[in-house]
Amino acid sequence: MKQTVMHTEYVTGGDDMSDIIEKEGVSFVSFRLFTPYKGLTAAVSTRLGGVSTGDFKSLNMSFSTGDDKEAVKENRRRYFNALGISIKDLVGCNQVHGVHIEQVTKKDCGRGVEGKEDALPGCDGLITNEPGVALTMNFADCTPLLFFDPVRKAIGLAHGGWRGTAGNIAGLTVEKMKEAFGSEAKDILAAIGPAMGPDRFEVGDDVIQAFTNLFGKTEVLDLYKPTKEGKYLFNMWEANRRLLLRAGLQKDHIECADICTHTHTDLFFSYRKEKGKTGRHMAVMELH
């Protein structure tokens, strides 16, 4: 099976820790933090290698965008084939920018395969310790958060939009894994996937206030810079990294892809840059 690795220097110009893999005609982000663990699949798709057309070109993973449903099914089939896992393992959810986290099992596999109607409702975090359960979520600027406990053999996946991040979904996912599986924060590895970067994510006073409530008046100053009256550039990557550290993860157990979806619409979908008319890329976590 042919596989090509493109280091993300192509994307970021930095010495970061993630790679873009091309396999079976499909491209996806792979995290070096997870690479040593052969019993784990962890990836975030790019927009390359699918059959969708127009605004959704080409590897759109979402049924909620207005794209042709059969095209989305084919895109998902190609992606899962490239990852070497079964589409029947997929567990999908309808994301609502909240902080609700569900523990799922094999009985949930197949939810969301055929459409959003049978996906898990109102959910922005998934965890499991069962092999053959593919946790999935869709993104187009929001932050994918991927979790793996190699000791307890458990995984988690969370959707870090600004509301979810301000609600500390990163820390809540760690707590949920501790409660459900006996995980210890010091053992958990976490990756922060492609998302809108700190030079592009412009927000208003409401967002700054939400994060001031979370971090406090002093620490929050490290996370944004004013651009014009009532507007600021906010660093979601760093906010999530700090929340993971606060949750007890070790510094060297956190990997940030450092890939801005807004800057690189040649590789990723960007809801904001493409004014809402675009596709979604998909994060997948599965134990084997």
Side-chain angles (χ1 to χ4, degrees):
M1 190 176 290
K2 186 178 180 182
Q3 176 174 307
T4 303
V5 179
M6 298 181 288
H7 294 299
T8 49
E9 289 176 347
Y10 169 74
V11 182
T12 67
D15 185 23
D16 52 80
M17 295 296 291
S18 306
D19 292 314
I20 295 179
I21 306 291
E22 184 180 343
K23 195 173 183 180
E24 301 291 306
V26 171
S27 297
F28 54 88
V29 176
S30 174
F31 302 92
R32 298 187 197 177
L33 192 65
F34 299 142
T35 301
Y37 302 95
K38 302 309 178 186
L40 174 70
T41 293
V44 179
S45 62
T46 70
R47 69 187 301 163
L48 306 178
V51 299
S52 294
T53 59
D55 295 319
F56 311 111
K57 187 179 180 180
S58 70
L59 195 67
N60 172 39
M61 293 291 167
S62 176
F63 292 115
S64 302
T65 57
D67 192 7
D68 177 72
K69 194 171 185 178
E70 293 306 313
V72 175
K73 287 182 181 180
E74 173 60 17
N75 292 340
R76 290 179 167 201
R77 187 198 66 76
R78 291 185 179 197
Y79 181 37
F80 271 64
N81 183 60
L83 295 179
I85 59 179
S86 172
I87 193 70
K88 295 178 181 178
D89 293 346
L90 182 150
V91 179
C93 57
N94 291 312
Q95 298 155 231
V96 294
H97 293 270
V99 294
H100 179 64
I101 300 162
E102 284 278 351
Q103 181 180 348
V104 296
T105 64
K106 283 291 283 186
K107 67 179 177 56
D108 297 298
C109 289
R111 298 197 65 169
V113 169
E114 295 297 323
K116 62 181 182 178
E117 297 77 17
D118 67 338
L120 291 167
C123 179
D124 287 273
L126 298 171
I127 62 170
T128 192
N129 65 345
E130 294 190 12
V133 179
L135 311 181
T136 71
M137 287 193 178
N138 295 325
F139 300 86
D141 285 336
C142 291
T143 310
L145 300 169
L146 299 84
F147 301 81
F148 174 52
D149 177 356
V151 176
R152 297 290 183 173
K153 300 294 189 294
I155 53 174
L157 182 61
H159 168 229
W162 80 258
R163 290 181 177 84
T165 300
N168 192 18
I169 196 166
L172 292 173
T173 304
V174 173
E175 287 303 311
K176 190 81 170 179
M177 291 177 70
K178 289 163 67 175
E179 293 169 10
F181 312 127
S183 295
E184 295 187 48
K186 66 179 179 63
D187 297 325
I188 295 175
L189 312 178
I192 300 167
M196 193 183 297
D199 295 329
R200 294 291 185 269
F201 187 42
E202 189 175 68
V203 301
D205 289 320
D206 57 336
V207 176
I208 299 302
Q209 186 57 55
F211 282 100
T212 301
N213 294 342
L214 178 62
F215 286 103
K217 292 181 180 179
T218 301
E219 187 174 1
V220 77
L221 295 174
D222 296 333
L223 298 175
Y224 71 88
K225 57 184 179 183
T227 54
K228 50 183 178 283
E229 186 175 355
K231 294 294 181 182
Y232 314 85
L233 289 174
F234 191 84
N235 191 339
M236 288 290 288
W237 301 347
E238 179 62 14
N240 278 291
R241 192 186 72 86
R242 292 189 180 209
L243 291 172
L244 292 168
L245 290 171
R246 181 186 287 188
L249 271 68
Q250 299 182 58
K251 184 178 179 180
D252 60 353
H253 283 184
I254 302 169
E255 175 179 340
C256 185
D258 290 335
I259 301 173
C260 178
T261 50
H262 188 280
T263 302
H264 295 286
T265 48
D266 56 329
L267 290 170
F268 297 94
F269 299 108
S270 173
Y271 184 89
R272 184 173 290 198
K273 187 173 184 178
E274 298 172 285
K275 304 187 186 307
K277 196 68 172 177
T278 191
R280 304 289 188 274
H281 35 273
M282 177 184 280
V284 176
M285 293 284 287
E286 184 179 80
L287 296 168
H288 306 300

